[in-house]
C-alpha cells in the first residue's frame, strides 16, 4: 500500500451486513492509508498506517494488521502529486477524534432485524440520513471529503453543455459537479473509473511458470 490508497473491507458485523445490503456490494467499510507500511527496503515501519471512522471509537488511526484476516481490496488514486496526497491526508487527519455519526446507525437499525424490499434508487439516500454535524462522520464520507478537498473525482455528476467553440457548433463539453460527500459508500471507490485496483500478488512479481501443480491421478 501507498499513502493515499483506500482500503476497502468486507466486514462481518450485523451493521456491515446492513451496509452491504443497502449498497448492494461486497464492501462495508473504508480506511485511508496515511503512511506507507513498508520502507524503501521492504521492511515494516512503526506506527499506525490507516485512518478510519469506527462506530465506537470515532475517527482514529489503526495498524495495517488490524484487517489482516479480512477480505479487502486496495483502491489507488491516479495522477496526484505528493503535495496533493499530503493535503488530502492532512484534511482527513484533522478529523481525528471526531465521533461516528450515530444517527446513521439509528437509520440502519431497522434493517438489522429484517431487510424489507427497498427500491435500489432509495438505498443510497438512506445512508445519508445522518445528523449533518461536521464533527461526525462515517467511513466513506470522511475519505470522500478528503479527496474532494484536493478536487479528485470519485463518482462526480456531469452535465453536457454546448461547446463555446465557434469552429465546432455540434460539439459538447462535459462539466463535472461534486456530489455531496455524505452520499458516498465504500463501494464507490471500487467502481470509480478514477481509482486503480491494486492486486498485491501481481505487484510482488507474479511468475505463473514457477507455480508447482500436483499431477492429476493416473
Amino acid at each position: 500500500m501507498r499513502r493515499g490508497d483506500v482500503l476497502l473491507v468486507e466486514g462481518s458485523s450485523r451493521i456491515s451486513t446492513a451496509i452491504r445490503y443497502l449498497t448492494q456490494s461486497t464492501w462495508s467499510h473504508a480506511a485511508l492509508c496515511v503512511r506507507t507500511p513498508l520502507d524503501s527496503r521492504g521492511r515494516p515501519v512503526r506506527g499506525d498506517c490507516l485512518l478510519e471512522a469506527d462506530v465506537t471509537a470515532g475517527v482514529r488511526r489503526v495498524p495495517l494488521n488490524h484487517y489482516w484476516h479480512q477480505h479487502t481490496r486496495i483502491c489507488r488514486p491516479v495522477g496526484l502529486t505528493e503535495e496533493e496526497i499530503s493535503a488530502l491526508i492532512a484534511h482527513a487527519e484533522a478529523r481525528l477524534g471526531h465521533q461516528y455519526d450515530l444517527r446513521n446507525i439509528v437509520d440502519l437499525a431497522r434493517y438489522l432485524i429484517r431487510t424489507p424490499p427497498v427500491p435500489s434508487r432509495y438505498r443510497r439516500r438512506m445512508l445519508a440520513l445522518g445528523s449533518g454535524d461536521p464533527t461526525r462522520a462515517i467511513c466513506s464520507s470522511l475519505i470522500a471529503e478528503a479527496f474532494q478537498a484536493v478536487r479528485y473525482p470519485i463518482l462526480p455528476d456531469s452535465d453536457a453543455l454546448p461547446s463555446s467553440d465557434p469552429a465546432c457548433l455540434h460539439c459538447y463539453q462535459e462539466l463535472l459537479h461534486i456530489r455531496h460527500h455524505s452520499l458516498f459508500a465504500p463501494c464507490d471507490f471500487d467502481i470509480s473509473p478514477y481509482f486503480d485496483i491494486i492486486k498485491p500478488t501481481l505487484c510482488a512479481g507474479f511468475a505463473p511458470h514457477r507455480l508447482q501443480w500436483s499431477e492429476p491421478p493416473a
Side-chain angles (χ1 to χ4, degrees):
M1 292 191 68
R2 300 177 184 172
R3 296 169 68 245
D5 286 355
V6 178
L7 181 71
L8 302 182
V9 184
E10 181 176 3
S12 57
S13 68
R14 299 182 69 191
I15 291 177
S16 297
T17 301
I19 294 175
R20 291 201 305 271
Y21 165 73
L22 289 176
T23 60
Q24 293 292 284
S25 73
T26 302
W27 314 112
S28 65
H29 186 64
L32 179 67
C33 182
V34 295
R35 61 181 302 184
T36 304
L38 302 177
D39 62 17
S40 58
R41 298 183 180 181
R43 298 174 301 187
V45 298
R46 295 183 178 181
D48 297 334
C49 300
L50 301 176
L51 185 141
E52 65 175 10
D54 179 71
V55 174
T56 56
V59 181
R60 62 176 183 175
R61 294 189 182 97
V62 294
L64 185 60
N65 62 11
H66 187 74
Y67 295 110
W68 185 259
H69 299 292
Q70 297 278 352
H71 180 205
T72 59
R73 172 164 290 175
I74 301 172
C75 302
R76 177 169 297 163
V78 177
L80 288 177
T81 65
E82 285 298 321
E83 291 75 14
E84 289 171 327
I85 292 175
S86 296
L88 79 88
I89 290 175
H91 188 280
E93 289 185 327
R95 275 68 181 167
L96 280 168
H98 288 190
Q99 293 302 308
Y100 200 91
D101 196 339
L102 297 180
R103 280 201 56 181
N104 281 85
I105 303 300
V106 174
D107 296 329
L108 293 174
R110 73 192 72 176
Y111 301 100
L112 300 183
I113 301 175
R114 57 193 181 97
T115 53
V118 179
S120 58
R121 64 182 179 274
Y122 296 132
R123 289 172 183 159
R124 183 178 295 272
R125 289 285 177 177
M126 287 181 169
L127 289 174
L129 296 177
S131 63
D133 187 341
T135 63
R136 296 182 182 272
I138 60 174
C139 61
S140 51
S141 65
L142 170 74
I143 300 174
E145 189 177 16
F147 277 101
Q148 290 176 349
V150 296
R151 301 191 69 80
Y152 190 85
I154 303 172
L155 287 176
D157 296 323
S158 63
D159 288 333
L161 302 177
S163 174
S164 57
D165 186 358
C168 188
L169 298 178
H170 300 289
C171 295
Y172 286 85
Q173 58 180 345
E174 184 181 43
L175 294 181
L176 301 180
H177 301 280
I178 293 178
R179 183 190 299 175
H180 195 271
H181 58 268
S182 68
L183 296 177
F184 285 98
C187 64
D188 291 335
F189 298 97
D190 185 16
I191 64 178
S192 170
Y194 309 109
F195 283 78
D196 200 5
I197 304 301
I198 306 301
K199 299 185 176 181
T201 302
L202 302 183
C203 293
F206 175 65
H209 300 99
R210 296 181 182 178
L211 298 178
Q212 296 184 4
W213 298 88
S214 62
E215 295 296 331

